[in-house]
Amino acid sequence: MQERIRASATKCLDWIERNMLSFDRGYWGIYERVRTDLNQRVALCRPDTATECMRAIYAYNQKYQTNRMQDVYENLVRWLEYAQDRADKEGDTAFPFYLTDGWRDFPRGPHLLYQNDNGKIIINLCALYKETGDTRLLVMAKKSAEWWLSVQKEKGYYYDPLCINSEGRADTPCMHLWMMTAMFSLYFVTGEERYRKSGYKAFDCAKKYIKNGRILTSYELNKAEAWRPVSSENYIALLCFALCYQYTGDDAFKKVICEIEDFCNELIDESGAIKNFTVETKNASLNISENLTDLVYTLGFAMNALAEMRKVFPDLDYQMKAEKLAKFLTDIQCDEKDFKVDGAWRGAYNLQTGKYDGRCNQNNEIDEGGEFSVYAGWCALPIIFGMIKL
């Protein structure tokens, strides 16, 4: 299995290196995705994707004792410092959703800030800081967190009118769980009490998303993220709670994991993949195509969730589940003549037909996922650094 994982990770990094880096090996960031139906590389360079790339490169080099793409890693650190908003700009010091072609001054419409993206960025920067001691990473993580701390509401979620999403949407699992975890990750690496207090305030808010043994979806709560299947927010919750337990040692996180893990296990297909929904939860989003498994919003985070759950419950069978999912992912990795796709994963796979399939354009003209979207961030890069953890 280890050789399969190494081959898969190598092939994925080949795809990243060949297709997804901006000019001069990521000097201006890394691109979000390819849309094969439009023959288009989407021009959004995203900070969250950059940190996922950094984690994948670092994990690969540590595991296999190489120095591959270290120049790309350094370019992405430099670009993140450039991309992060300054105190004299809108959004203060949070990270923007994207910069078009990686350039701050390129026209990009209204200021866009997302809680989930910034939360993931902070978590990734803290994880890399813990491994490397590189204070540049901690400085960026704290700058972003300070802005989000300043906009945390009494109810626990994080919101300011600068965010593109509504206040109601901010109080949904998709937007909230990542930032909650980010605050605990900063507490873990700094010991600073304000991050711990913010995290627990956010945790009190997050617990209300659990109902009838699962996480309610953003679509159920606010008609948001209509394309995101039920599997996504439940496996993101599993990952976030598992990380929070490791950051704090607090058994309260084990308790909430136990409340949702039966449902998460029920979603596991015999192939090792994660089904989008159960019969009872089919209408909890608009992603209701039968037999699909979602690679953009679920499988990469599920890979990491199962890997992290081994540390929370080492005596249970999460190693077996993680290895089975890793085998499924290596089996379906794109092996195509099309260089734009080869080595990556498309956005949705049909477990019955054994082929990539489906669209993910429910209430969203930009087609967030499906067989025609080939993502670097959210999909390919989390998949490989999750697999390398095994």
Side-chain angles (χ1 to χ4, degrees), residues 323-336:
E323 289 182 354
K324 198 168 184 181
L325 176 55
K327 182 180 183 302
F328 171 80
L329 289 165
T330 60
D331 284 344
I332 70 165
Q333 187 173 15
C334 294
D335 184 16
E336 303 184 23

Side-chain angles (χ1 to χ4, degrees), residues 5 29 41 52 69 138 217 238-239 253 281 361 366:
I5 288 173
R41 181 175 64 181
E52 288 172 333
M69 296 173 69
L138 182 60
T217 65
L238 200 67
L239 171 58
F253 294 103
T281 59
N361 55 4
I366 64 173

Side-chain angles (χ1 to χ4, degrees), residues 27-264:
Y27 192 85
W28 293 100
I30 179 171
Y31 290 103
E32 176 193 74
R33 61 171 163 152
V34 171
R35 287 192 63 179
T36 59
D37 55 333
L38 301 180
N39 197 31
Q40 175 194 59
R41 181 175 64 181
V42 176
L44 312 186
C45 289
R46 292 177 53 167
D48 59 334
T49 302
T51 62
E52 288 172 333
C53 190
M54 289 161 56
R55 286 200 73 179
I57 291 169
Y58 183 81
Y60 184 93
N61 286 339
Q62 290 296 111
K63 177 76 173 180
Y64 304 121
Q65 294 299 293
T66 68
N67 199 34
R68 181 170 182 183
M69 296 173 69
Q70 192 60 35
D71 61 326
V72 173
Y73 179 101
E74 287 297 324
N75 280 341
L76 292 177
V77 174
R78 184 213 62 83
W79 179 75
L80 283 167
E81 291 178 315
Y82 164 80
Q84 189 167 24
D85 289 330
R86 279 78 159 179
D88 60 343
K89 298 284 187 179
E90 282 187 307
D92 205 13
T93 53
F95 282 95
F97 171 33
Y98 67 87
L99 300 181
T100 303
D101 280 323
W103 184 28
R104 172 175 293 282
D105 297 322
F106 195 95
R108 60 185 175 98
H111 193 85
L112 311 179
L113 296 176
Y114 281 111
Q115 297 89 338
N116 55 351
D117 290 0
N118 272 260
K120 279 205 294 129
I121 291 165
I122 293 168
I123 294 165
N124 290 335
L125 291 174
C126 286
L128 288 167
Y129 168 71
K130 185 72 173 175
E131 293 279 353
T132 67
D134 185 344
T135 56
R136 296 175 299 173
L137 310 179
L138 182 60
V139 166
M140 287 189 281
K142 291 182 73 172
K143 281 174 64 179
S144 177
E146 290 305 315
W147 189 80
W148 291 102
L149 278 173
S150 75
V151 300
Q152 188 174 22
K153 301 300 182 185
E154 278 305 308
K155 292 184 178 180
Y157 55 88
Y158 304 84
Y159 176 75
D160 185 89
L162 283 172
C163 301
I164 188 173
N165 50 307
S166 66
E167 186 167 358
R169 190 179 175 197
D171 186 13
T172 58
C174 167
M175 292 296 160
H176 184 69
L177 291 168
W178 291 113
M179 190 57 69
M180 172 195 74
T181 308
M183 292 301 171
F184 283 119
S185 73
L186 269 168
Y187 169 67
F188 181 63
V189 298
T190 68
E192 294 184 32
E193 183 68 11
R194 67 185 184 280
Y195 299 130
R196 189 189 72 85
K197 287 183 177 179
S198 176
Y200 274 110
K201 190 175 180 180
F203 182 44
D204 286 340
C205 175
K207 285 184 282 190
K208 73 176 187 295
Y209 304 140
I210 302 174
K211 187 175 182 180
N212 298 327
R214 68 173 175 90
I215 295 288
L216 297 173
T217 65
S218 294
Y219 182 72
E220 290 174 291
L221 292 166
N222 196 246
K223 298 303 179 187
E225 303 283 319
W227 53 85
R228 184 186 294 271
V230 180
S231 58
S232 174
E233 284 162 304
N234 278 273
Y235 269 90
I236 287 171
L238 200 67
L239 171 58
C240 287
F241 292 143
L243 289 173
C244 289
Y245 172 74
Q246 293 174 61
Y247 296 148
T248 64
D250 187 343
D251 284 342
F253 294 103
K254 275 190 175 181
K255 182 179 178 181
V256 293
I257 287 170
C258 290
E259 290 183 48
I260 66 171
E261 68 173 334
D262 284 348
F263 178 76
C264 290

Side-chain angles (χ1 to χ4, degrees), residues 288-346:
I288 58 174
S289 297
E290 301 285 352
N291 304 312
L292 292 186
T293 183
D294 158 52
L295 285 99
V296 179
Y297 304 104
T298 303
L299 292 195
F301 302 129
M303 187 72 257
N304 283 272
L306 295 173
E308 297 298 340
M309 283 291 289
R310 300 173 308 162
K311 302 171 188 176
V312 181
F313 297 111
D315 56 332
L316 299 183
D317 60 352
Y318 283 103
Q319 176 73 25
M320 181 186 70
K321 293 171 184 173
E323 289 182 354
K324 198 168 184 181
L325 176 55
K327 182 180 183 302
F328 171 80
L329 289 165
T330 60
D331 284 344
I332 70 165
Q333 187 173 15
C334 294
D335 184 16
E336 303 184 23
K337 293 180 180 178
D338 186 348
F339 74 93
K340 299 186 299 296
V341 174
D342 186 52
W345 287 267
R346 293 175 180 267

